Amino acid sequence: VAPALAKLFAAFSQNSPKEEEEEMDADDPFAAMDRKRRLATFPGEEASTRSAGDPQARAAIMRALGAVAPSLTPRDLPLVSTFLTKVLGDDDELVRDAAMTAGRNMIELHGAEQVQQLLPVYEKYFDKQAAGGGGGAEDESKSDNVRQGVVVFLGALACHLDAADPKIRQILARLVSVLSTPSEAVQRSVSDCLPPLMKALTDDERRALVESLLAQVTDGEGYADRRGAAFGLAGAVKGCGISTLKAYGIMDAVKAAVEDKKNPDAREGALMAFELLNLRLGRLFEPYVIHVLPMLLVCFGDQSEHVREATISAARAVMGQLSAQGVKLVLPALMKGLEDNAWRTKQGSVQLMGAMAACAPKQLGACLPQIVPRLSETLIDTHPKVVEAAQHALKAIGDVIKNPEIEALSEYLLGAIAKPAELTQPCLDVLLEMTFVNVVDAPSLALIVPVLSRGLRDRRADLKKKAAKIAGNMCALVADPKDMSPYVPLLLPDIRKSLIDPIPEVRATAASALASLIRGMGGVDEHFADLIPWLTQTLQSDGPMTERSGAAQGLAECLAVLGQEHFEAMLPEILAGCHHVAPHVREGHLTLLRFLPLALGHLFEPHLQEALAEVLTGLADQVEAVRDAALSAGRVFVEEFSHSGPSLDLLLPSIEDGISSENWRIRQSATELMGSMMFRIAGTSGKVLNLEGGSDDEGISTEAQGRALTQTLGEQRHHDLLAAVYSLRSDPTLAVRNAAVHIWKTVVANTPRTLRLVLPHLMQRLIAGLSAADDDRRQTASRCLGELVRKLGERVLGEVFPIFSDGLANSEAATREGVCLGLAEVLAAARKEDLEQYIGDVVPVIRDALCDEEDGVRNAAGAAFDAVFRHGGADVAADIVPALLSKLETDDVALEGLKQVLRAQPKILASVLPKLAAPPIDATRAATLGSLAEVAGPALPPHLEALFPPLLAAMGSEDPDESEAATGAASAVLRAVPDEAHYLLLPEVLGGLEDESPGVRCAAAKLCGVFAAEAPCFDEEDDVPQLVKGLFELFIDDDESVVSAAWTALGVVMGVVAKEDQAHYLRDVRGAVETAREKVRRRNRGAGVKDLLIPALCLPKGLAPIVQVYLQGVLVGKNSEVRESAAEGLREAVMSTTTAALKPHVIPITGPLIRILGDKYPAAVKSAILGALAVMIDKGGPALKPFVPQLQTTFVKCLSDANRPVRQRAAAALGRLMTLQPRVDPLVGDLVTALAAASDAGVREAMLRAIAGVFAHAGKGVQIPTAERARDEIFAAGTGDA
């Protein structure tokens, strides 16, 4: 109040009118002042100033006088100066300081202009003191006070003197002498006066003054002397310049005094010098701070209390003047001091950290994030002095808190820092309860953040939630983000850890805090550079589900803070992750979609459809966790966006797609989402008890809820949804059905009435479902339609059939198909008595549908025909089948309709076949028979006897179109006959082989091949022997086309048999060949033809159908008898063909036979193979030349065989082989040599037979010497044997 009144008094004085002043009485110099004071006296002021016992009042008057200094005139200055000089003798220091301040203000304002007028006033005082006069009544103490004050006034006035004025040195000397005054105000004032006066001194005078002050600092007798000298030294250095510290050795001298262990006064003085130099020089002294710091650390532990107090004061001064760069220089040294083993050093470092509370707010905010955590750690130090120092340091930081709310809670905060295990929770509770109305400053954050960090790291969930909530709120209370910036690295790791906590509430609170932190810091700065990548990585990690959920929630909140542009840039990546190959990635991204609407609100709405599409896809995932995440996201979408028409326009299309999905999981989830949406609109919880019990006609809905649904959704959409729900009640999957029943019972009050309302929509949906490609949709529509007819009966038929009739006229084929399927379901579900009145209307609809251009519609019409036939029987068939038969020649689609009829009721074939199978069969009727055979398979067996003769006759027709159509029809019949009718089919096929007509035989042969290749009832084991026998009968037919057809058919038949199974039919094939040769022999008897050639085997590659039978018998026959029989049969087959026909088979046959001879097989097998090879040589001719060396070696080897038939056949074969060997001499020489060396008579006989065979077939090629040698050896052998 007093300073405010002083300012008011000054303003009043400055604006008051000036009156004519009376001449001042020389004997009473205060008369004029008294007059002025009376003119400007406040109520009660005069009484207060007269009260000698009220120093506060006197000090207030002095402050008022200082305030009116600008209003003083030149005539007032001497009077006021004299008055202030008298007040300087007041007993109270407060009054004296106020008087000194007022005088200095006056001199500062008027001294430059009135220096000559004011200087005599103060000099006069000293003259009177020197003369011993004036003020004799005052005691010595008052005199000293007045003298010291006047010196200060005089020093302030000297600043306005010319630098060359000799009075400056006198004034300077008087100022220095006053420094010993035990008044800090006086000393500070003198220190302020010294800098401008130092410029008037020479360098030597300055040095001398500095040295004297330094001596006084360290050697002064009293505290006031040393303190005053320190003030003077600081003022002198400031006036001389910072370079004086080094030039005059000031720092070295002060440092030496600090290190003087024997003189505590010197140490105290030196520390005061540090303090005041720092205060006076400010930032200029900062480079020396780093050198002063170690000394301060030592002096904190000094034994002298006075030294320690001086150290604290110096530390505060040092810290209070530090710049940001200075803080960076000082902190490492302090941190290092905390790690020192000496407790005194630790204590000093802690005390210096506490002194940092005196730093400027900006510097304080920069250093506190590093200081407070280290101080907190020091609270558990083993030395009590260090702990005590840490407590004091923290309290000092708490004392500079400017936030009133935090200041009131400082004890709680300090307690929580000191005892985190015990007091963290109470502190967090108090912080949560506190209502903040002021911004939070840096010191407040320094105390709060450690507590929050401790709470976030606690194991208890409630502490984590509280700490995270406070952290989020605190970000909003910080005025400048820079204050919070140093604490982000401390809080962010703890918030991240809480974000992946197992407790959902902790994760939610941490996500909110993270968003608040980003918002408070103005977005993603350097502290959050890796936050989004970390959240994304955690979202996709293969860890616990809770971690991905927390990352999703945090990322959603962050995207909400970062804004729409950032979100839209990241959205494609989010959606792509929903169908990632890894299930945990899909789950994480779907969980993110769950939280995005909650965080973004309306910003998410434009992307709702594409997000919902991913959710519906996730609902069909094979992994349950992914499905759960997708369902949760879908429920959030419904909860957040089912409040308005535009939102529903985005939601409903995707949900409707979902309930029509092929995957039952998607249908189930989409149904649940649709139910949630309808429950929300209707204002019901959706809880229905006894879901399985009760009638469907009963529900818990009310008319009001129905109106609410209609009002929000619109009548059209409301009925569409109800129709969808009712159809889903018939879904093949139980889970989907239960969900649909739940919805129906919740939102429908009266089922029959509701069904009549939604019937058009329901029928439209069912028709579409019946024509869908998905089996589940068709089954759902089918069941629903059947249930609808069974439940409502004749009440619904009258409304359904007109809908079907209109639908059949629709241009969309899918709709027409659905109509027919629906009609089939209705006919199947309805009772016969209910349908009687509608049959006449239904039959024409079905007949027209059977002739529809689309195959799918006709198929559905066939199902409808089947259903109506069960009710109408022959009458229905009589109305439909003749009409279709009459259209066969004019309408191609009529055949397809007839096929549908036969497929539905094969028994109708008996009424259709007589007309179609009546001979002769043309191409059209043959094609019709083939088409009908495909669908009337079970009904065909009784009619095979009537079908095949005309078909075979048509197949043998010379008209290619007719033959081709008949062949296709016969093939279709073969394919359609069921397995159980095999015994009826094969005789019909084989019967044509014996027909008198070559064309029929040819067609029958061709049909045999088709039977083996395509007939489902073909039995290889039973049918192949019969087919081989029958076809071989035609191998010697007189008609070449028949022979060719039989040969081709046999190739098809044997081609059906696996290669490894060919040997099973050796007996059948060999018997057929023998029979054919015998018939040829009989036919050629008397004709002089020696070779028994089978015509079919003489065709190009004639042996192809049967050669594998023989080869497989030779190679893999189960015993030697089979191998021998196969070789003999092969010899017979080769004998039955020509050289030209055999040529393609020479290599495939000869090679395996040679390999067999080289192995150890019985003699009978070898003999048979040698016979076959001999015939191959005769028939194959030049084609065998590549095998001559191998055959020659093999035959020669066999000449020495122990079995005589083998030797004989080998000798015969060797002789025949020589027709292919151009060089015979070497062989003859070898045989002769072997003959001479042989000891066994049988071998010699074989050798002689071989030599004879060689000469018989190739004697012309033997040289005379070789022949003579052979002759001699033969004679010798004959003589020897004899």
Side-chain angles (χ1 to χ4, degrees), residues 881-956:
V881 174
L884 294 177
L885 288 173
S886 64
K887 292 182 179 181
L888 286 177
E889 297 180 0
T890 59
D891 189 354
D892 295 337
V893 184
L895 174 61
E896 298 300 325
L898 192 59
K899 288 169 62 177
Q900 295 300 331
V901 170
L902 290 178
R903 183 181 289 114
Q905 292 294 330
K907 296 179 181 180
I908 299 178
L909 182 64
S911 61
V912 175
L913 199 59
K915 179 178 180 180
L916 296 177
I921 298 177
D922 57 14
T924 302
R925 284 196 291 158
T928 302
L929 279 174
S931 299
L932 294 179
E934 295 176 358
V935 298
L940 281 174
H943 308 286
L944 293 177
E945 188 176 354
L947 271 174
F948 271 104
L951 282 177
L952 288 173
M955 289 175 65

Side-chain angles (χ1 to χ4, degrees), residues 266-284:
R267 296 198 297 276
E268 180 187 22
L271 290 169
M272 287 189 288
F274 280 144
E275 172 192 355
L276 295 172
L277 282 170
N278 195 79
L279 289 174
R280 289 297 169 185
L281 298 178
R283 298 288 172 81
L284 295 175

Side-chain angles (χ1 to χ4, degrees), residues 7 73 216 484 549 993 1102 1193-1194 1205 1212 1214 1224 1236:
K7 291 180 180 179
T73 63
Q216 185 70 12
M484 192 68 187
S549 177
L993 299 176
T1193 303
T1194 301
L1214 185 61
V1224 185

Side-chain angles (χ1 to χ4, degrees), residues 8-330:
L8 181 59
F9 176 67
F12 176 78
S13 176
Q14 188 172 3
N15 295 323
S16 61
K18 305 296 182 182
E19 297 182 356
E20 293 295 331
E21 299 179 353
E22 300 179 358
E23 187 175 352
M24 197 179 306
D25 189 355
D27 295 333
D28 190 6
F30 299 100
M33 186 63 190
D34 289 340
R35 285 196 300 271
K36 278 193 171 185
R37 190 182 57 144
R38 286 195 296 270
L39 290 174
T41 301
F42 291 98
E45 179 184 347
E46 188 171 349
S48 64
T49 54
R50 292 174 180 170
S51 176
D54 188 4
Q56 292 289 343
R58 297 197 300 274
I61 291 298
M62 291 302 101
R63 284 194 289 272
L65 187 58
V68 301
S71 302
L72 297 177
T73 63
R75 297 182 59 185
D76 297 332
L77 294 178
L79 177 63
V80 174
S81 298
T82 305
F83 174 72
L84 290 175
T85 302
K86 291 183 176 294
V87 175
L88 290 173
D90 196 276
D91 295 335
D92 190 81
E93 184 178 1
L94 183 62
V95 178
R96 295 197 300 271
D97 290 344
M100 189 175 297
T101 302
R104 291 194 61 190
N105 289 342
M106 180 189 69
I107 293 172
E108 185 176 352
L109 291 171
H110 304 285
E113 299 175 355
Q114 306 297 329
V115 62
Q116 297 300 328
Q117 184 179 357
L118 292 174
L119 189 59
V121 175
Y122 302 123
E123 289 180 339
K124 181 180 179 181
Y125 172 80
F126 283 106
D127 293 340
K128 289 173 64 176
Q129 289 292 324
E138 297 178 348
D139 56 18
E140 189 66 24
S141 175
K142 290 184 178 182
S143 178
D144 290 342
N145 290 336
V146 174
R147 183 176 63 256
Q148 293 160 2
V150 172
V151 169
V152 172
F153 291 162
L154 192 59
L157 189 61
C159 296
H160 300 289
L161 292 174
D162 186 78
D165 195 320
K167 292 184 178 181
I168 290 180
R169 288 175 174 76
Q170 298 176 5
I171 295 173
L172 186 59
R174 289 179 177 178
L175 289 175
V176 173
S177 65
V178 176
L179 284 173
S180 299
T181 304
S183 172
E184 187 161 329
V186 174
Q187 293 170 345
R188 184 177 291 106
S189 298
V190 173
S191 181
D192 292 340
C193 296
L194 287 178
L197 300 179
M198 295 300 293
K199 299 177 182 178
L201 300 180
T202 64
D203 186 64
D204 292 338
E205 291 173 334
R206 294 174 188 166
R207 181 184 292 275
L209 177 59
V210 168
E211 291 177 352
S212 66
L213 291 173
L214 272 173
Q216 185 70 12
V217 165
T218 56
D219 301 328
E221 295 182 0
Y223 173 81
D225 293 335
R226 295 190 295 277
R227 184 76 174 173
F231 267 111
L233 181 62
V237 170
K238 186 174 182 181
C240 297
I242 190 67
S243 60
T244 311
L245 292 173
K246 184 175 182 181
Y248 296 166
I250 296 174
M251 291 303 297
D252 294 336
V254 175
K255 182 179 179 182
V258 170
E259 295 173 350
D260 187 355
K261 301 297 184 182
K262 297 181 179 180
N263 190 348
D265 292 341
R267 296 198 297 276
E268 180 187 22
L271 290 169
M272 287 189 288
F274 280 144
E275 172 192 355
L276 295 172
L277 282 170
N278 195 79
L279 289 174
R280 289 297 169 185
L281 298 178
R283 298 288 172 81
L284 295 175
F285 192 71
E286 192 169 275
Y288 295 94
V289 169
I290 195 66
H291 303 290
V292 173
L293 201 60
M295 293 183 279
L296 293 179
L297 288 174
V298 173
C299 291
F300 269 118
D302 198 276
Q303 295 180 352
S304 172
E305 182 180 357
H306 299 298
V307 175
R308 293 197 298 272
E309 292 176 355
T311 305
I312 293 172
S313 298
R316 287 177 179 168
V318 168
M319 297 304 172
Q321 298 296 321
L322 283 179
S323 63
Q325 184 63 28
V327 171
K328 293 180 181 178
L329 292 174
V330 167

Side-chain angles (χ1 to χ4, degrees), residues 676-711:
S676 299
M677 180 192 66
M678 297 179 75
F679 299 157
R680 179 179 177 83
I681 295 172
T684 178
S685 64
K687 295 181 180 179
V688 178
L689 300 177
N690 299 325
L691 182 64
E692 300 296 335
S695 170
D696 285 347
D697 295 344
E698 301 172 359
I700 65 168
S701 180
T702 63
E703 295 294 336
Q705 291 173 347
R707 286 194 299 271
L709 286 167
T710 302
Q711 182 178 359

Side-chain angles (χ1 to χ4, degrees), residues 41 211 214 228 439 477 535 583 762 827 829 904 950 1070 1096 1117 1143 1161:
T41 301
E211 291 177 352
L214 272 173
V439 297
L477 297 173
L535 288 171
L762 179 59
L827 293 171
R1070 188 177 180 190
K1143 185 176 180 180
Y1161 283 101

